[in-house]
Amino acid sequence: MIANWSRQVEQFSSQCEWVGIREYREVTDTLSARNGKAESTESKLSHGVMIEVLLRGQFAYAATIDLSNKGLEQAFEKALAMAACCGKHKLFSFTTNARPPNRGQYTTSVERRLDSLSFAEIQNKLINISLHQQTSVDIIDSWAMAMLVHTQIHFVSSNGADWQQEFSIVSKDFGVTARKNNESQSRSYGFNGLQKGLEDLDDVILEQEAIRIGSQAVELLDAAECPSDSRDLILTPDQLYLQIHESIGHPLELDRILGDERNYAGWSFVSPEDFGNLQYGSSLMNISFNPATPTGMASYTFDDNGVQAEKQFLIKDGLLLRGIGGVESQQRSNLPGVASARASSWNRPPIDRMANINLEPGSSTLKDMVSATEKGILMQTNRSWSIDDYRNKFQFGCEYAQLVEDGEIAETVKNPNYRGVTTAFWNRLKLVGNEDTAQVYGSPYCGKGEPNQVIRVGHSTPSCLFSDIEVFGGA
Amino acid sequence: MKNNFNQMIGPLFSGLFADEQLVVNFHGEQSLFIRFNKSKVRQISDVLQMELALTLKHKGKESSMTIPVSNNLKADVENGHLCLAKLRERISELQALPFFVEAKNNGTSNSVHEGNLLSCEEYLDIISSETADVDMAGILISGTTFIGNANSKGQHHWFESSSFCFDYSLYNDKEKAVKATYSGTRFTRSEFVAILTDARTHLAYMSIDNKVLPPGKYRCYLAPAAVSEILGTFNWGGPSHSGLKRGNSPLQKIDDEGLSLSELFTLKEDFTLGLHPPFNAEGEVACESTDIFVNGKLENLLTSSRTAKEFELVSNFANEQETMRSPVVEKGKLAKQDILKELDNGIYISNLHYLNWSDSKKGRITGMTRFACFVVENGKISAPIKDLRFDETIYNIWGTNLLAVTEFCETEVSTNTYFQRSAGGNRCPGMLVKDFNFTL
């Protein structure tokens, strides 16, 4: 289904400085089950091309589902006309050096292809999970879902770029709600998407996790409210990945720093002069952009400008070094960036996005962190998130927490939340977990951009200990 | 695009086997997006897209598949038949759904909202010349969206709307901003300039140095755009009957304890706004208006036919997510000219940002102030504030702490363009509340 677009590129290239065609074909299968019964199953095929034209320094984009010659010609004419009328109104004058002529390919490594099981077989796995979660009569709702995505991208340009990428992604989540005496508590696995095959839906592991989820939801019904005070905070990867995403990933996006997102997603507290100077966090903090993270949801070889992606440190020993911005933002800002211009699909232009933004492991075990805590709390699994438009003042809620007293895990508490301000929080990073505590998390729901785009991001992180954080309970 | 839809569905319905039912949903758009930064063009794009979602139902089983629609009828019909064959094979293996909803003929409708839209060049000439002396960021969206629904029982609905929306903000050299939106079916320079001039006036207030307020409880005026943000978060699970039955509702306390909100608070779903079609993905047509809260008393939750089957309720033909598609909060008696006087000493909040449930089962929401928010002292604007985080329950905001509701409302057209341009919007008044809880 992925076509050879060289002839069309050659046909159009004489009328502009540069033209590129990005074909995007994606199949998404979503299945679910609830309370031991089948729920909905749906598939979506999205398939179209984006024609991108550079004329007198302005890029313009026309997306179409009409893949006939006539359809492509109409789209090209539109892009050409839009680029022409932007001439005197353009923000920045680009050249073809913003579109390198790279060639190559990337394919997700999988053990079991996404089509190696039928819909019925996958749905039976989900039904089985929802049954295993029902560990008590207090559980009133038990659900499970899986989403399988197969994406193919082919990019060809008039200056010689020709690359293809093929992604296989499996996402899953499951959870329960327990209710007793007018108290309701929900507990879930926590949505996670990884570049993998169906080997990710391992029945033995899923059944064990389902029983844990069901049991912990029931445990929360009788748990005390999370205390409201300041104490040390241990976060596990199923919460910390979102902390990294919101308070490191987004503020380092160069298009936010340049003001492109001011009207929608927001600006950033980071200013251009902070690169090389701002002590973002404690000296234990090392943050990387790593497009080669195994199973990372946003692993790739080329971004959608065709720039080859490679690992870079954004923050080293707590010092801010580099932003998350593709070649266009790097040229506009004269700041160091990474290959991170990405489009959500064939119908959107690339913008600066996170890919895999990771917190590098340290040397502590989880036991070390608990032992080092006199008065603290360990929180797991995100349930609420919010941060301001400059990415400073945040508040997160988790599903499950345990108090830590005198170096030991103590009682379970419900409705745990914490709040803080970004750089103050990261400068309180006291211990960083080792490889054994690390996990990769991925979300397909990072929203940004005008027009809006959701994109897949990945974050690998160990568990970490933060000192003296404001925590609080429910309403 | 209506022709694409109609010509494609006929052969698909004809190709069904005995006892099979087919429901189809069409979405199409032809849209222009111009993205601005510093009053210049950052990106410009045009999108032509069409897709058809087919749901095949057979003896208690169903499965759905969405396929792209090109302008090639023969190829599209072939794709549709291939899709049907795959669905047929799939549902033969799947288990029956416990709460299966049969397709029915829910009638026909045709709603076309025409517009007189400008060309890319015309938009750029007006916007660029009028904003050349100010730092503006935002997006212009212009074009036509198409929504169709039909089924093999003879049901047929069509909704088509041509409109533009210019969603933007103005900035001063202290990085303070004012938000504005201009939407409609006919873009005129004079209407645009009137809204822009109003925004410029507010921006002038923002040149005063920020006042940093400590966290605590404040008397606040929430402008319609701020109320709209709270309503948007409430819509995420709040009106859902399924959510209540499954233990995941912010209205659980009302159900458990028989509570009411303030008598000043009335909320309904009202399709007479004309921004969203009243039919859902099954083609069921909701009432023109459904009361949710009337004078603080919960009257109805939104109930889909699937939820109705599961919990033995009566469907009011909500969508599958049981969210309000066209919510309207009723106006009150607070006059525009009395807002600052009645606020007296407190905070004027124009916009809120990044709201989320902080404790959804207890109805508590957190979020940030954004854009033009001011300290008001003795009924007069004193200074813009440094952004604050709030954490507050709907039982306080729309209940015990609600002091007054404005006598005017503002209509907000959806600017959501995730995946595709969305239909919809809402209509909200401003609200005066006491003891609004700021935490950071």
Side-chain angles (χ1 to χ4, degrees), chain A residues 316-387:
Chain A
K316 187 90 169 134
D317 303 326
L319 183 68
L320 176 63
L321 298 178
R322 184 180 289 269
I324 300 171
V327 63
E328 290 187 16
S329 292
Q330 292 169 42
Q331 291 181 2
R332 289 166 60 203
S333 66
N334 288 317
L335 289 170
V338 290
S340 62
R342 303 169 62 207
S344 58
S345 186
W346 57 273
N347 58 8
R348 294 287 182 267
I351 56 176
D352 292 344
R353 303 308 301 247
M354 283 174 249
N356 300 315
I357 304 298
N358 302 338
L359 176 59
E360 298 286 316
S363 58
S364 300
T365 64
L366 191 58
K367 191 177 175 191
D368 292 337
M369 290 183 235
V370 172
S371 299
T373 302
E374 189 178 328
K375 177 190 169 191
I377 186 168
L378 185 154
M379 295 191 191
Q380 294 182 43
T381 318
N382 178 265
R383 81 167 189 186
S384 172
W385 64 99
S386 175
I387 190 165

Side-chain angles (χ1 to χ4, degrees), chain B residues 104-235:
Chain B
K104 292 177 188 163
N105 185 344
N106 295 289
T108 61
S109 66
N110 186 48
S111 178
V112 176
H113 305 263
E114 292 180 344
N116 184 9
L117 304 176
L118 303 185
S119 69
C120 162
E121 198 161 14
E122 289 167 322
Y123 282 124
L124 282 174
D125 281 346
I126 297 173
I127 292 170
S128 295
S129 61
E130 296 296 343
T131 61
D133 62 338
V134 64
D135 180 4
M136 178 271 289
I139 186 160
L140 174 98
I141 304 165
S142 177
T144 308
T145 54
F146 309 85
I147 301 172
N149 170 282
N151 69 21
S152 52
K153 298 286 185 183
Q155 166 184 292
H156 190 286
H157 301 293
W158 184 256
F159 178 90
E160 180 177 329
S161 177
S162 295
S163 64
F164 71 88
C165 182
F166 185 33
D167 179 354
Y168 64 99
S169 39
L170 306 180
Y171 296 80
N172 67 17
D173 55 8
K174 294 182 177 176
E175 299 189 354
K176 300 298 290 183
V178 171
K179 178 92 170 171
T181 307
Y182 173 37
S183 59
T185 54
R186 186 170 165 269
F187 192 109
T188 69
R189 183 184 287 265
S190 59
E191 285 180 355
F192 171 57
V193 168
I195 294 168
L196 180 67
T197 303
D198 198 36
R200 285 175 186 271
T201 305
H202 282 95
L203 190 63
Y205 289 125
M206 306 299 285
S207 60
I208 306 166
D209 287 342
N210 273 344
K211 191 158 188 172
V212 179
L213 297 175
K217 292 180 186 293
Y218 290 86
R219 189 178 175 92
C220 290
Y221 170 70
L222 300 164
V227 174
S228 167
E229 286 288 338
I230 295 169
L231 184 65
T233 302
F234 173 73
N235 206 13

